Amino acid sequence: MKSATAVAPLRVAIIGAGQVAEKVHASYYATRSDLRMVAVCDSRLEQAQAFAAKNDIGGSYDDVRLMLQEAQPDIVSVCSPNRFHFEHVMAALEAGCHVMCEKPPAMTPQQADEMRQMARKQGKVLAYDFHHRFSLDAQLLRKNMQAGALGEVYLTTATALRRSGVPGWGVFTNKAMQGGGPLIDIGIHMLDAAMFVLGFPAVRRVMAHSFQKLGTVKQSGQFGEWDPTQYTVEDALFGIIEFQSGGLLRLDTSFVLNIAEQSQMNVSFCGEKAGATLFPAHVYNDVDGELHTLVQREQADDNRHFRSMEAFVNHVQGEPVAIADGDQGFIIQQLVAALYASAEKGDWVEIC
Ligand SMILES: NC(=O)c1ccc[n+]([C@@H]2O[C@H](COP(=O)([O-])OP(=O)(O)OC[C@H]3O[C@@H](n4cnc5c(N)ncnc54)[C@H](O)[C@@H]3O)[C@@H](O)[C@H]2O)c1
């Protein structure tokens, strides 16, 4: 009788040993016996060493290329600040690794384009952690949308607002490191979730207005303190995306805005036959002036990060699981850039 050959666990490395690497990436990888975290790299070596010790990882580095060469990972998670996503993803792909990159894909659409092309050239998986689309809510709405339950959707409203939620850690208020403020950090999540549910319809043009009213004045909130004198990103952006179909997607996003709720992260869809809310998934219409529920989840699915990581790893292992891939990452980055460009020039920006 033939004995089953044991398959060696896939080797995993992490770049950027901060809070998302810890809470999302390392904690997911640790759940799988078919993966082994072998190395971690951070520009602060002591941070990489502490992370390695805490997560039982053999190698700690402050040099990405040396880590890729010595640790020979199969999979790399890129969790560094936005500005470094491009160089870290490209280095990992060039080294023959599959890559899970934190959002946003990069700083510019040109970079996101090169990244997807490199993944294609190398025959490797490039996924982005747009985790909200992996919620059971988003998956359910996507199915309803595909089945035509809403009819033609002509108004989508994506909201990513915080009353006072400027991140008090990292470099989230630094434009040179992040590429922007709430749009590229949290608005991008609801933008991706909305586009996913809609099925990535073709865009005609975008318009946006951005503001910097409170981030440079206030200094503490829900996520700690920040230095208002070093606040160089927008604190609010309100945009409209017009699709080729004529339908509209409105996006409101802010780190700090005088709203009643502490935070609003949701998307609503208005179609000819029905409307829907994303979190929790709810599809409804009107019958003689009364709200009529067609589909409803009781609670929003909170396991989104886990599902996003799982989709990536299962995809790498050859399962037919959808991921947030390089092509969709490029489209989202293109929309973000166009919204910023519109806010800067005060006019519509065409998408070709
Ligand atoms: N998907 C999500 O919901 C989510 C949540 C939080 C953060 N993020 C993304 O994850 C990334 C990191 O965010 P965070 O909150 O973990 O930040 P963080 O500041 O906690 O961690 C970033 C880490 O990267 C390290 N670093 C900086 N420059 C580096 C370089 N050149 N090479 C290697 N390491 C470097 C820092 O020392 C730090 O330890 C950002 O792109 C952010 O947008 C995504």
Side-chain angles (χ1 to χ4, degrees):
M1 208 170 94
K2 258 184 170 176
S3 68
T5 325
V7 180
L10 290 177
R11 298 166 67 79
V12 178
I14 295 176
I15 303 173
Q19 62 98 27
V20 84
E22 173 87 41
K23 284 190 198 150
V24 175
H25 296 249
S27 58
Y28 174 75
Y29 293 136
T31 66
R32 295 197 57 147
S33 56
D34 53 353
L35 304 178
R36 189 154 65 89
M37 285 181 278
V38 294
V40 58
C41 179
D42 198 284
S43 49
R44 298 172 293 155
L45 185 59
E46 66 286 2
Q47 178 72 13
Q49 287 165 338
F51 191 98
K54 191 168 173 200
N55 294 285
D56 195 19
I57 298 173
S60 39
Y61 295 82
D62 61 3
D63 182 318
V64 169
R65 288 186 187 275
L66 183 65
M67 178 187 79
L68 292 169
Q69 200 186 335
E70 288 191 358
Q72 297 277 308
D74 303 295
I75 285 177
V76 171
S77 268
V78 172
C79 304
S80 46
N82 300 356
R83 182 179 161 172
F84 303 109
H85 289 187
F86 174 72
E87 94 181 51
H88 293 158
V89 167
M90 293 296 272
L93 287 171
E94 276 168 16
C97 307
H98 302 289
V99 179
M100 169 54 112
C101 177
E102 265 308 331
K103 45 51 66 172
M107 298 284 271
T108 65
Q110 292 73 18
Q111 290 180 337
D113 191 22
E114 279 188 52
M115 289 151 80
R116 68 175 172 161
Q117 286 183 39
M118 179 60 80
R120 205 170 293 141
K121 180 175 156 220
Q122 296 290 84
K124 297 295 166 188
V125 176
L126 170 59
Y128 296 113
D129 185 27
F130 285 123
H131 60 282
H132 297 280
R133 66 156 79 179
F134 294 93
S135 63
L136 297 179
D137 307 86
Q139 301 287 328
L140 182 63
L141 285 198
R142 176 76 197 120
K143 282 202 182 87
N144 274 267
M145 194 73 75
Q146 280 174 309
L150 282 81
E152 185 191 328
V153 174
Y154 50 94
L155 177 64
T156 299
T157 307
T159 310
L161 299 173
R162 295 174 182 160
R163 191 173 62 230
S164 192
V166 176
W169 71 94
V171 292
F172 293 87
T173 60
N174 179 330
K175 191 167 180 187
M177 297 295 270
Q178 282 290 110
L183 171 61
I184 205 164
D185 189 43
I186 55 174
I188 197 170
H189 272 309
M190 292 302 104
L191 176 60
D192 177 74
M195 290 293 284
F196 169 76
V197 171
L198 292 169
F200 277 80
V203 173
R204 181 183 294 153
R205 57 183 188 159
V206 314
M207 158 70 94
H209 290 264
S210 72
F211 297 87
Q212 198 190 56
K213 298 281 188 192
L214 302 175
T216 48
V217 177
K218 297 182 78 163
Q219 57 189 18
S220 69
Q222 189 186 344
F223 299 124
E225 295 187 354
W226 67 94
D227 180 353
T229 66
Q230 302 297 314
Y231 190 98
T232 55
V233 296
E234 85 280 3
D235 60 34
L237 181 141
F238 310 111
I240 298 180
I241 294 169
E242 186 184 301
F243 296 114
Q244 297 283 358
S245 67
L248 300 178
L249 191 167
R250 294 196 322 220
L251 173 65
D252 291 350
T253 184
S254 177
F255 277 156
V256 49
L257 186 71
N258 281 315
I259 53 171
E261 301 84 355
Q262 200 165 59
S263 147
Q264 291 175 6
M265 292 283 279
N266 218 332
V267 185
S268 68
F269 303 87
C270 301
E272 288 173 300
K273 291 190 193 163
T277 307
L278 180 54
F279 296 126
H282 186 192
V283 182
Y284 38 78
N285 60 11
D286 179 273
V287 178
D288 301 329
E290 298 290 329
L291 185 70
H292 176 64
T293 291
L294 301 166
V295 173
Q296 184 157 33
R297 279 181 49 81
E298 285 303 311
Q299 277 191 326
D301 173 22
D302 267 344
N303 227 0
R304 306 167 201 178
H305 267 304
F306 184 94
R307 294 187 203 285
S308 167
M309 296 297 297
E310 184 167 68
F312 164 65
V313 174
N314 289 351
H315 188 96
V316 164
Q317 292 181 334
E319 289 183 34
V321 189
I323 52 168
D325 65 13
D327 289 340
Q328 292 176 338
F330 167 69
I331 292 170
I332 296 294
Q333 193 87 46
Q334 209 182 20
L335 291 176
V336 166
L339 287 162
Y340 278 133
S342 169
E344 197 159 321
K345 77 176 195 171
D347 202 354
W348 289 92
V349 167
E350 309 282 328
I351 303 277
C352 37

